[in-house]
Amino acid sequence: MSSLFFSSSSGVAGRPSDRLGSKAASTSGKAADVVPTVPLGTSGNLRSGRARTLRARLTERDMAVLRSLASFRLMTGRQLQQLHITSDQPATSARRGRAVLKRLTELGAVVRLERQIGGEHGGSESLIYTLSGLGQSVLALDADSDVHVPRGRMIWDTKPAFQNHLLAIADLYVELHALDAQGQLELLQFETEPAAWRWFAGPAGGRQAVKPDAFVALGVGDFEQQAFVEIDRGTESRPTIARKCRRYVDYWQSGQEQQRSGVFPKVWWLTSKPRWAARIADVIASLPAAHQPLFGVGLAAQGAELLRRLDDAGGQP
């Protein structure tokens, strides 16, 4: 299969790894972290008896489903099935997945959105789910600590474009998880926002941030491959893309990430259409030659394969 990607061979992300064999893959930076998803209602009490009662009825697999929804905020039934329901027979996995999600929905731990993903992969597995306020309370009880719940609209009130963006991030994780299960790589870490964000002192001394959609660390052979991921669905203008790239350059030149982990992660722009990828590649090609190797562009459908590419060592400013 042909692949469309733009990538200079800088190897900003590859290094010999001492984490292989001691995998600590996480969707939120730390194994016990929970990323809040939706605001609780006016009666939301993180230590409520209702949450404790529900927690006693949930299995470890149920809790794993809730943690996935907490990390990615939205997931389809198919994504959750691929992560948490295993069987040699696809039909059996699908049936079990539907039963688990139906039960969690009826218990009030998750919310099923009205919309679903269409196309050839339609059907019940394409229904979209999110964590409810009660589900958030259950996770907070399990974490044995209060969880900050941000103010704002419920996730199901957001526009479909934003929902599709979240699902694309979850898709990448599911694909990498599958490659891990097949022994083709080790998924050492997968941080979603805001855990993936990096704050640093900019060139003028002010506090700045790069805000990737995800930070990924993979074990490939004897090396650890790191990447910042930007999911673009054709909504970013050329000036916005250029501005984001310059911010990553500023962060690279600060040396902060290199002090933290020894390398600078490659910044992968992943999008769903070749013409959008070509537009991003044009913007990157307009950057100074020394900065272009920091970035790669490819189709989201090939994202997992692109992220595990091994480059030469390097990445120092």
Side-chain angles (χ1 to χ4, degrees):
M1 179 183 297
S2 61
S3 63
L4 189 156
F5 70 93
F6 173 96
S7 173
S8 298
S9 180
S10 70
V12 292
R15 64 165 184 174
S17 176
D18 57 2
R19 292 205 284 177
L20 302 182
S22 58
K23 176 170 54 180
S26 168
T27 53
S28 58
K30 295 181 181 179
D33 285 351
V34 175
V35 179
T37 56
V38 298
L40 298 177
T42 55
S43 61
N45 182 341
L46 294 180
R47 304 298 180 185
S48 69
R50 187 182 176 202
R52 292 182 184 278
T53 300
L54 177 57
R55 175 64 186 94
R57 298 181 62 182
L58 300 180
T59 66
E60 285 307 307
R61 180 169 63 186
D62 293 335
M63 293 300 294
V65 170
L66 297 191
R67 284 191 288 269
S68 291
L69 287 173
S71 294
F72 295 102
R73 294 186 278 179
L74 289 179
M75 298 189 78
T76 65
R78 176 175 287 103
Q79 290 170 338
L80 290 165
Q81 172 195 313
Q82 291 173 335
L83 287 179
H84 302 297
I85 313 295
T86 58
S87 173
D88 293 336
Q89 300 298 324
T92 300
S93 295
R95 184 175 64 254
R96 290 176 180 171
R98 289 192 296 269
V100 168
L101 292 170
K102 182 175 184 292
R103 176 171 172 271
L104 289 174
T105 301
E106 291 174 345
L107 288 171
V110 306
V111 176
R112 187 174 65 198
L113 275 62
E114 293 298 324
R115 67 176 291 243
Q116 65 184 67
I117 303 300
E120 63 176 330
H121 299 300
S124 58
E125 285 76 34
S126 65
L127 292 170
I128 303 173
Y129 296 84
T130 189
L131 194 64
S132 71
L134 178 58
Q136 182 69 68
S137 298
V138 169
L139 286 179
L141 289 173
D142 224 36
D144 196 29
S145 64
D146 290 338
V147 176
H148 171 68
V149 180
R151 297 181 181 274
R153 293 177 298 170
M154 295 292 189
I155 194 68
W156 51 83
D157 287 336
T158 57
K159 295 180 179 180
F162 179 65
Q163 295 175 4
N164 291 339
H165 181 85
L166 296 178
L167 293 174
I169 299 168
D171 258 338
L172 178 63
Y173 177 76
V174 171
E175 291 166 7
L176 290 170
H177 182 273
L179 291 176
D180 183 306
Q182 296 165 13
Q184 298 187 41
L185 54 79
E186 284 193 68
L187 181 51
L188 300 172
Q189 196 168 4
F190 193 108
E191 292 180 341
T192 53
E193 56 181 354
W197 296 354
R198 303 289 195 269
W199 297 88
F200 67 103
R207 191 166 184 254
Q208 296 184 355
V210 291
K211 297 183 176 182
D213 294 311
F215 166 79
V216 182
L218 305 175
V220 184
D222 294 328
F223 291 85
E224 180 175 329
Q225 189 80 339
Q226 298 182 6
F228 291 128
V229 178
E230 291 279 353
I231 301 291
D232 177 71
R233 299 189 60 82
T235 59
E236 304 281 18
S237 66
R238 288 176 182 266
T240 299
I241 295 168
R243 183 170 62 252
K244 286 188 174 183
C245 288
R246 288 194 295 270
R247 184 62 58 85
Y248 278 108
V249 170
D250 289 343
Y251 183 47
W252 171 62
Q253 291 177 330
S254 76
Q256 182 172 308
E257 186 75 17
Q258 296 90 313
Q259 292 176 2
R260 167 179 168 165
S261 63
V263 295
F264 190 83
K266 196 177 189 80
V267 182
W268 275 103
W269 289 84
L270 302 178
T271 189
S272 57
K273 294 186 178 181
R275 61 186 176 87
W276 296 343
R279 179 179 61 180
I280 298 171
D282 285 343
V283 173
I284 294 173
S286 70
L287 299 174
H291 300 163
Q292 294 178 25
L294 296 173
F295 304 95
V297 182
L299 298 180
Q302 300 163 356
E305 292 295 333
L306 295 174
L307 262 61
R308 69 171 183 162
R309 288 176 178 269
L310 283 176
D311 296 324
D312 299 328
Q316 300 301 320

